[in-house]
Amino acid sequence: GAVVSQHPSWVICKSGTSVKIECRSLDFQATTMFWYRQFPKQSLMLMATSNEGSKATYEQGVEKDKFLINHASLTLSTLTVTSAHPEDSSFYICSATKDVTTFEAFFGQGTRLTVV
Amino acid sequence: GDSVTQMEGPVTLSEEAFLTINCTYTATGYPSLFWYVQYPGEGLQLLLKATKADDKGSNKGFEATYRKETTSFHLEKGSVQVSDSAVYFCALSDPETSYDKVIFGPGTSLSVIP
């Protein structure tokens, strides 16, 4: 199988602080990982593509200085929400593709961020 | 650009009813198509997939057939159970334009009542 693990599963932080979310591929190497954001009762919005050893590619409208992505190894990508505000409260999900022929993505369990 | 359209929910069915969730897509190349399911409070799980025209993906009694002529990938199940209550996302990955990005539809919430 292919397992992608996110940590933490949920986090509550104070407004103005920064929060780091980790995404790990446990049994395969992923040169590319993806970060999504999901608002309540809505679909997943792709935020950025995380590339191992290089800068992330952000989707239009996503602030790269706000959402810092680091992909330091083939099994780990991190998303840091800097100077978090209540409007950043959301469900963040990462994914990685193992099979480059079918492009099936494997998803982490998600991180519920609440900024108070 | 690539996109996925799904029928609007929420959908409420009685147990053992027949389920259809419509999905159509727009893509430049020849995408792979997926249905993902999200149970309450959980992350996404792949339900089934199809990688080329006329392929049928199936899992847990759910089926979907890749119809290139109608650019559709409708999800069906003959007899739903309460445990099928979840949000279902149709999705595609188009190597022509988006490499291995997954583009999601808006999701369809399904509630199955006893």
Side-chain angles (χ1 to χ4, degrees):
Chain A
V3 179
V4 175
S5 177
Q6 265 182 257
H7 178 80
S9 296
W10 59 271
V11 58
I12 302 172
C13 71
K14 291 185 177 180
S15 191
T17 62
S18 295
V19 174
K20 180 185 285 189
I21 303 170
E22 293 185 348
C23 178
R24 293 181 186 272
S25 57
L26 297 186
D27 53 358
F28 67 100
Q29 294 183 331
T31 56
T32 306
M33 291 184 175
F34 302 91
W35 287 97
Y36 293 83
R37 182 174 180 177
Q38 185 180 30
F39 293 98
K41 300 186 186 301
Q42 294 187 30
S43 190
L44 284 78
M45 180 190 76
L46 179 64
M47 298 175 65
T49 303
S50 171
N51 305 297
E52 188 267 338
S54 65
K55 292 183 179 179
T57 304
Y58 290 82
E59 296 299 303
Q60 193 172 8
V62 177
E63 300 175 61
K64 58 183 177 182
D65 295 331
K66 173 83 171 164
F67 298 100
L68 299 179
I69 291 173
N70 183 271
H71 196 150
S73 77
L74 288 172
T75 58
L76 174 64
S77 174
T78 60
L79 169 68
T80 301
V81 183
T82 62
S83 187
H85 288 92
E87 57 266 30
D88 298 325
S89 299
S90 193
F91 194 56
Y92 294 89
I93 305 176
C94 71
S95 76
T97 303
K98 179 183 179 185
D99 184 342
V100 295
T101 57
T102 63
F103 302 103
E104 176 184 341
F106 294 88
F107 288 82
Q109 74 272 33
T111 297
R112 173 76 59 194
L113 170 63
T114 302
V115 184
V116 298
Chain B
D2 296 343
S3 66
V4 178
T5 304
Q6 282 178 245
M7 61 185 290
E8 295 288 333
V11 174
T12 302
L13 294 174
S14 297
E15 206 166 19
E16 299 184 0
F18 184 84
L19 168 71
T20 299
I21 301 178
N22 290 336
C23 170
T24 57
Y25 68 90
T26 301
T28 304
Y30 296 91
S32 294
L33 302 175
F34 310 91
W35 277 99
Y36 284 89
V37 58
Q38 186 176 33
Y39 296 102
E42 298 183 15
L44 270 73
Q45 302 174 28
L46 177 68
L47 180 60
L48 52 85
K49 66 182 180 186
T51 58
K52 61 183 187 298
D54 299 325
D55 269 2
K56 177 186 282 187
S58 61
N59 185 26
K60 299 181 181 179
F62 291 89
E63 293 183 340
T65 302
Y66 190 146
R67 300 289 186 200
K68 193 172 188 305
E69 64 276 14
T70 54
T71 61
S72 65
F73 193 55
H74 305 321
L75 182 68
E76 296 182 337
K77 186 174 185 181
S79 177
V80 294
Q81 305 300 313
V82 173
S83 56
D84 294 327
S85 298
V87 181
Y88 293 81
F89 295 93
C90 187
L92 69 81
S93 184
D94 184 354
E96 295 272 333
T97 56
S98 57
Y99 187 50
D100 50 353
K101 290 182 188 177
V102 180
I103 309 296
F104 288 89
T108 302
S109 176
L110 170 66
S111 293
V112 181
I113 55 177

